[in-house]
Amino acid sequence: MMLVPQQSLPGRGHVGQSRAGSRMDGVRGKRAQQRSCGKYATTPADNYYLARRRTLQVVVSSLLTEAGFESAEKAAVETLTEMLQSYVSEIGRSAKSYCEHTARTQPTLSDIVVTLVEMGFNVDTLPAYAKRSQRMVITAPPVTNQPVTPKALTAGQNKPHPSHIPSHFPEFPDPHTYIKTPTYREPVSDYQVLREKAASQRRDVERALTRFMAKTGETQSLFKDDVSTFPLIAARPFTIPYLTALLPSELEMQQMEETDSSEQDDQTDTENLPLHMSTDDSGTEKENASVLQQNTSLSGSRNGEENMIDNPYLRPVKKPKIRRKK
Amino acid sequence: MIWKQLLSIMIQHWRFVTTSQSSGISTIFPMPMLLQSVLWTQMLEMENSALRFRQSCGSMLMPKGGLHFVVPNVEGSMAERGAHVFSCGYQNSTRFWFPCVDSYSELCTWKLEYTVDAAMVAVSNGDLVETVYTHDMRKKTFHYMLTIPTAASNISLAIGPFEILVDPYMHEVTHFCLPQLLPLLKHTTSYLHEVFEFYEEILTCRYPYSCFKTVFIDEAYVEVAAYASMSIFSTNLLHSAMIIDETPLTRRCLAQALAQQFFGCFISRMSWSDEWVLKGISGYIYGLWMKKTFGVNEYRHWIKQELDQIVAYELKTGGVLLHPIFGGGKEKDNPASHLHFSIKHPHTLSWEYYTMFQCKAHLVMRLIENRISMEFMLQVFNKLLSLASTASSQKFQSHMWSQMLVSTSGFLKSISNVSGKDIQPLIKQWVDQSSVVKFYGSFAFNRKRNVLELEIKQDYTSPGTQKYVGPLKVTVQELDGSFNHTLQIEENSLKHDIPCHSKSRRNKKKKIPLMNGEEVDMDLSAMDADSPLLWIRIDPDMSVLRKVEFEQADFMWQYQLRYERDVVAQEEAILALEKFPTPASRLALTDILEQEQCFYRVRMMACFCLAKIANSMVSTWTGPPAMKSLFTRMFCCKSCPNIVKTNNFMNFQSYFLQKTMPVAMALLRDVHNLCPKEVLTFILDLIKYNDNRKNKFSDNYYRAELIDALANSVTPAVSVNNEVRTLDNLNPDVRLILEEITRFLNMEKLLPSYRHTITVSCLKAIRVLQKNGHVPSDPALFKSYAEYGHFVDIRIAALEAVVDYTKVDRSYEELQWLLTMVQNDPVPYVRHKILEMLTKNPPFTKNMESPLCNEALVDQLWKLMNSGTSHDWRLRCGAVDLYFTLFGLSRPSCLPLPELGLVLNLKEKKAVLNPTIIPESVANNQEPVISANNGQSMGFQSTEDDHPIKETATSISSHQQGVKRKADMPLGSPLEPGQILEKNEDSKVKLKIRFSNSQEEEEVDMDTVHDSQAFIYHHLNMLERPSTPGKEQSSGEINMHPVSATPLSIFSKESNSSKHSDHHHHHHHEHKKKKKKHKHKHKHKHKHDNKEKDKEPFGFSNSPASGRSIRSPSLSD
């Protein structure tokens, strides 16, 4: 970047054009930006940053003029602006670090100096440079207010800090974010509505499910011309048809368990219901057992006796005798 | 000989003997017997998918019948796949899987060994002595010992990876089921010990075997099969505690099987004609069990149902004979000439006949009980059992084993010994004679004499009926009480005067005593002021096998329905009230419906009757549709009457009612003959709000019936000039129905219901929609559900729809598809069922023109009943039934005429026009003519009966006039009889001899016939068999000796002079036509319906199938 001045020396007067052009570009670019970023909706904050950057560009341009350039390519100006911006930002960031390092919130001059030193800049040259004769003075950028972050919708009043919290601490958030306001809506107790609701809900679920299954799998249809209105899931033969036909489905077993448990509850204590429910999920073993709920007592007693039962089918299989002779 | 050596070894090892031999065993034993003795070692092993069956004396691969193999087509070893095998068959079918004397009367003791894969269990008869590994430890050998003498026919086997459950109450009882079903098995069999207790108590006799095994297997041949000390059940009988409807059915099956253990397995029969005793006793004690378990109402209902069934069947077919007697060796009288099959062997019976036979047997036992009292009856049973069990422990040499066989005469003897009563007339009427009694009753009340004039007529001329003479109980309910009268039904007396006890009176308010002593208040305003009669019942105890059509006024039926406490009377009243669509009937029915003490089946029946009445009085009907308000009151929420309560089926009576009412309501029709919109919405709401979450029981049957209700509500579509059924012109109501069906059917795929009841109902409903023209008729859906691999109930329902489609749309393709399935399906039950359904709902019948009726079909069916089905009697007889339904006894109209117009009748010694060529127009006539000529006019015709035999028999020409010949075969002038023979210049004529009743059919070279007197003798002998006593003397009696000596020429001569035509005939062939002939031969055969010949698969007369082997005790006695 430092090489630019020598190269572009011959072409003075070009800078002016360039500047005008760049300004034009800037305007046009901004418009274009506005247009193209229409959906981004240029916020006040964006405007703020753009204005700063424009000022930097002017600075770079004037420095270039000072150095004797007449014109500069836009890309070069942009690059220089970028470098300048990062340099200034780095100074600021570093200075802030130093200030915070010393437990202050506001950077002082010495912070800046240390920073500059740290960055390898010879501070002593600075006053001289500032007082050079050919320096160009540019007008201060128009004071634009730091954009205010739009306030979220406030609901209610923020709670003031209690006395033991220093005031510089952040404010409480809006009350609605942490205050619980339980609402009591009257539950629907009308039997008819409940039944109606349960029925239609179940029906909807079933319909959706079966439609889904029908859509994803093979189907049969009653009408040749229309396969979608009444899709029937295609009949698929089972390898062992009696199992599905005879064994109660999981749903039924679950249901049975529920009715069983609720029956027990009725007998014992209705208040235990939630507690009971939680213990209910104790695995599949119980599920199987419940199928035979009626027989459990019976088979239980059997298990006890099993050792005594003399049934030929329970006897161990004998080892073959050694053949006497061939 | 090697046999002798083997045998001697055998006898050293353990006793093997049969009843009828006393000495010189090795010399007298026929071949099969030897085999039986050799074959107590059987080894069965599973290798790949083929199960190989090895025996010590040879090996056989996959027997076609006798054993059924179920090998699911999945990954894994045989045991993991649940592959199993079991013995099956109808009557004695054991010889299909090992050589034996397969007769119920040949007893011996058994030692059975089965070597099977180590993961399998072999269950067989007798005690399991031990189980031993083979040397490689990969197989096990099960050793069974059955020390109680048992017929080979009662030997059975089941092998599979069974789960074993020892009965918790009786440790000697073991239950087996297929993998994963153990929980169901536990529940299902938890009841069995009570049945045991019941039988042992009433019979005062311990269960005869030392152990009992129940095996539940898939693809069962029959639901229940009883064998010595074990029973094989269909696995579909298993159920969980949530299932209501299946529970009583399964328990019935268990009880039935157990009853047969005593009578049928332990006590066997002497001969086939004694079968009724065993079936009767086991059915009877099973009935006693029902009475005790399900109550008297259920029992009486069952008896009524069985009685109605047997009566309907006998009236339809002409009779069921329990104890056929085949006139000694001569067998000249065929007691079942009205049937299209022979009842001489169990294996020729139509399945329906056999079911009805069992039904009649136990009803007759009940009649005997009525006669001699239950106490004596049970004593007789006890006597039979204790004799048998004494005999069973004896050694063979003591000749006691025949005590284990029951015969009709022995049974009757012990009845008369025990009770001292003569039941001969009863036996003669119901056992030795087929058919039932039909009463028509009507009455008038004679006010002056205060006498009830009862007129009882009988119809004993229609087929299947007989004349009843004897006592008949009549119960008259009067104002003063109920009175029994025993009328003596005699030949000529039609009218019976019964004095009444009470004067008619209207004013006195008094309670009216009923039969059971109860006294009730009645509203007497409906009755006739002059008559004290409330209602009259004929034969209230069902002590005659009868059908009663009784006329009494509608109010009497209504009183009977309301106040008679007997369920049978109530059911009769409901049936009668269908004819009286009045508000009073409506009220009576509604009252019964609401009455909770009333038997639930009566209430269910009342539902349907009410629907019928409502339809008859549709124009005057007031109020909401019948039963709606009642249903709302009983089953819907109080607060919101359109919503049904959440299901709670704890009360079974109301559960059954809740199931039935919507089905009956859906039968209601409005003035436009449509199902009222209100009813349809109501049913749809029931479906919508159905909520089973809190119910202890499954609601699958209930939901299935709701779908049935939807199907019932469907009425024929209004079709505008045969437009094609599409979705757009779908009736909106039907759209709703279809929506439900679709959802249900799809949900079944995700959450299948028990036994897929819902799928079954959906399929039926879809067929109804198709049939009524709402949905395009298409069998594709049903065909996919009928494939092997679906649950059997689904398959049957789908097949039923296809059968129906075949009939309605006359589709030859579907008929072929069905018949192919009959031949190829792996499940015997399904094959049998297809034929049965086709017979019940035939695509065409004998008197109908149909495009389906063609030669190929005739051939196909003919083939089916004559070859390839020898291992499955039931299937073959099913084919015979179907053939009979489709083509009747005459030559199928689709067949071309036979070349020969005239045939020689060997029996009558004359030539007649070939009866097979009488075309359809005369075909109706032809049947009776034939039977009349045969002197077998019992069953089919009553009109023809009085024709003098001469007339029918005389002229061939009269036959010929009736013949419309097809154009290509002009007969020309009527042939003179005898002409034919002259035409046959060549003496070397091939004669095809056909004997109507023996179905013997042979090609005979006449040269040899000339010489062979023995041959002619043989055939004449056979000819003798079929006639009926009474009719026979005039026509048939052939003097066989002269004839047998007569050369052929005499035949022709005689044929000229003979006055009797017959359909026995010879076909004369030219040699060159022989080939074609063969084909025809087949087609003729069916005409003569007796199948003795082809029912004897092994072709020897003393085949075990005949049930009367030469050494059978029945003959030796």
Side-chain angles (χ1 to χ4, degrees), chain B residues 990-992 1001-1005 1069 1074 1078 1081:
Chain B
K990 282 263 177 183
L991 272 193
K992 196 165 112 190
E1001 185 172 359
E1002 286 157 53
E1003 298 261 12
V1004 190
D1005 192 338
H1069 302 248
K1074 191 179 163 192
H1078 270 296
K1081 182 168 87 182

Side-chain angles (χ1 to χ4, degrees), chain B residues 5-17:
Chain B
Q5 289 171 5
L6 270 171
L7 191 71
S8 58
I9 298 167
M10 232 79 343
I11 291 170
Q12 278 171 10
H13 279 283
W14 63 291
R15 285 192 320 281
F16 172 82
V17 268

